[in-house]
Amino acid sequence: MPLGLGRRKKAPPLVENEEAEPGRGGLGVGEPGPLGGGGAGAPQMGLPPPPPALRPRLVFHTQLAHGSPTGRIEGFTNVKELYGKIAEAFRLPAAEVMFCTLNTHKVDMDKLLGGQIGLEDFIFAHVKGQRKEVEVFKSEEALGLTITDNGAGYAFIKRIKEGSVIDHIQLISVGDMIEAINGQSLLGCRHYEVARLLKELPRGRTFTLKLTEPRKAFDMISVRSGGGRPGSGLQLGTGRGTLRLRSRGPATVEDLPSAFEEKAIEKVDDLLESYMGIRDTELAATMVELGKDKRNPDELAEALDDGLVTSPSRMSFVFDVWGAIGDAKVGRY
């Protein structure tokens, strides 16, 4: 993430999933496999990680969203490694995995897998489907798109505002991956970079979007969603806690977010959309973690990376984030 991650609270070490059967792995679809070691708990500073035999096991169940047998995966510490494990389980190239949803096979942006997975969550992987190229006339400054990304190099559409420029183009849907704008490849770009490029396109001109939609199951064909409502479905996990995936450092098992943390994350995610046209609960959660112990907005500003929000909007954004965290602390929801 484009953040100076600063100091973090010390999280409890990974624990073994109670549903994991001794001696069984999860790389094959419905088949036992070797023990993965990538999901290790946070090692002590300066010490090597524990040997694979001593690392805890967290086993998750997964299916392809358009339909497949159930696979078992383990041994991942970030989203990119998770996609790799899913690809191994279903014998797919890792680049085919676009994004994942939790506990639903539908393209439901309220259930999008971000930085946390509940220890009892079922993972549905959405893979590449039909490719399409669409010409768009930018009649308004705002296109009505909210962009997110999968943490592994693909940016896609998370929400389409009702009545907007994009809303009138039926070929464009929530979940579509944005591969290129006017022939410029966006593979490997973060969501805020794509949102910035779209914003900078001149009004009154036509531009071309190259898109890839997720492969759909039969019951999802012809469904076009406007995406989740802002803050309507923040789901950071279910059951006995969550596995927190980090872009830097090992994954950790943490308690479910408190009411304060959940509401603060929701409000900061709304600010990300308002200022930058993106939604990213992992980034919002990191900001809340950084900001909840800061004494003033200046300290929070020092903890955030300068590249995330550029001047002159940066300090306004920081003040709003500071205010959102403060409101959540005192119960002003």
Side-chain angles (χ1 to χ4, degrees):
M1 306 301 298
L3 285 172
L5 293 181
R7 53 187 181 86
R8 298 179 180 274
K9 66 180 180 181
K10 186 175 181 182
L14 287 175
V15 296
E16 182 167 340
N17 187 340
E18 293 175 7
E19 296 180 354
E21 298 174 344
R24 296 192 66 184
L27 298 184
V29 179
E31 298 176 356
L35 172 67
Q44 296 182 9
M45 186 65 65
L47 296 178
L54 297 180
R55 296 179 191 177
R57 297 176 61 228
L58 290 170
V59 179
F60 294 88
H61 293 86
T62 183
Q63 288 182 358
L64 299 180
H66 62 274
S68 74
T70 297
R72 292 160 53 90
I73 56 173
E74 63 176 297
F76 55 89
T77 61
N78 55 52
V79 172
K80 190 171 184 179
E81 290 180 5
L82 166 62
Y83 295 159
K85 292 296 183 181
I86 291 172
E88 286 181 37
F90 297 106
R91 296 177 175 84
L92 296 170
E96 288 296 302
V97 181
M98 291 177 59
F99 57 86
C100 296
T101 50
L102 299 176
N103 307 313
T104 179
H105 69 287
K106 297 181 180 180
V107 182
D108 184 345
M109 294 294 104
D110 287 338
K111 302 298 178 63
L112 187 68
L113 185 152
Q116 302 200 33
I117 308 173
L119 299 185
E120 295 179 343
D121 281 344
F122 197 105
I123 301 170
F124 288 90
H126 298 255
V127 300
K128 291 180 180 178
Q130 181 179 347
R131 286 176 166 81
K132 50 196 177 184
E133 195 166 289
V134 184
E135 288 192 346
V136 180
F137 179 72
K138 191 175 182 181
S139 57
E140 303 289 342
E141 286 294 337
L143 293 169
L145 287 177
T146 298
I147 309 299
T148 190
D149 64 44
N150 69 350
Y154 294 164
F156 56 93
I157 298 170
K158 186 166 186 179
R159 180 158 49 249
I160 298 173
K161 184 178 180 180
E162 186 176 355
S164 65
V165 173
I166 297 298
D167 190 41
H168 292 100
I169 305 174
Q170 292 299 308
L171 281 176
I172 302 177
S173 299
V174 166
D176 286 354
M177 181 180 75
I178 305 176
E179 287 196 25
I181 299 175
N182 288 335
Q184 177 183 348
S185 175
L186 301 178
L187 300 181
C189 290
R190 294 303 315 274
H191 43 26
Y192 59 89
E193 295 173 309
V194 176
R196 188 178 302 153
L197 286 172
L198 289 169
K199 185 177 181 180
E200 291 173 352
L201 290 170
R203 183 177 177 179
R205 301 280 187 87
T206 297
F207 65 95
T208 302
L209 286 175
K210 185 177 180 182
L211 307 167
T212 299
E213 65 182 37
R215 185 174 174 183
K216 294 180 174 65
F218 181 77
D219 65 343
M220 293 192 291
I221 293 176
S222 298
V223 173
R224 183 178 190 258
S225 169
R229 300 185 306 277
S232 64
L234 182 61
Q235 298 289 335
L236 296 183
T238 61
R240 303 180 303 273
T242 62
L243 178 66
R244 176 85 179 269
L245 304 177
R246 302 177 184 272
S247 57
R248 301 176 184 176
T252 54
V253 168
E254 301 179 357
D255 293 334
L256 290 172
S258 66
F260 146 67
E261 289 171 325
E262 189 167 320
K263 181 53 64 173
I265 290 168
E266 181 180 311
K267 292 168 76 72
V268 172
D269 202 25
D270 288 345
L271 288 171
L272 287 171
E273 180 173 29
S274 175
Y275 276 86
M276 285 167 278
I278 65 173
R279 292 194 78 86
D280 188 333
T281 55
E282 180 188 1
L283 177 57
T286 301
M287 288 182 169
V288 171
E289 185 176 321
L290 286 171
K292 65 184 181 182
D293 296 326
K294 297 294 184 289
R295 294 172 295 180
N296 54 61
D298 289 336
E299 289 187 1
L300 176 60
E302 291 178 4
L304 302 182
D305 185 85
D306 289 338
L308 180 63
V309 183
T310 56
S311 297
S313 302
R314 185 174 189 274
M315 284 312 298
S316 296
F317 174 73
V318 171
F319 272 101
D320 283 349
V321 169
W322 172 255
I325 295 172
D327 286 348
K329 276 183 178 180
V330 298
R332 288 197 297 265
Y333 298 158

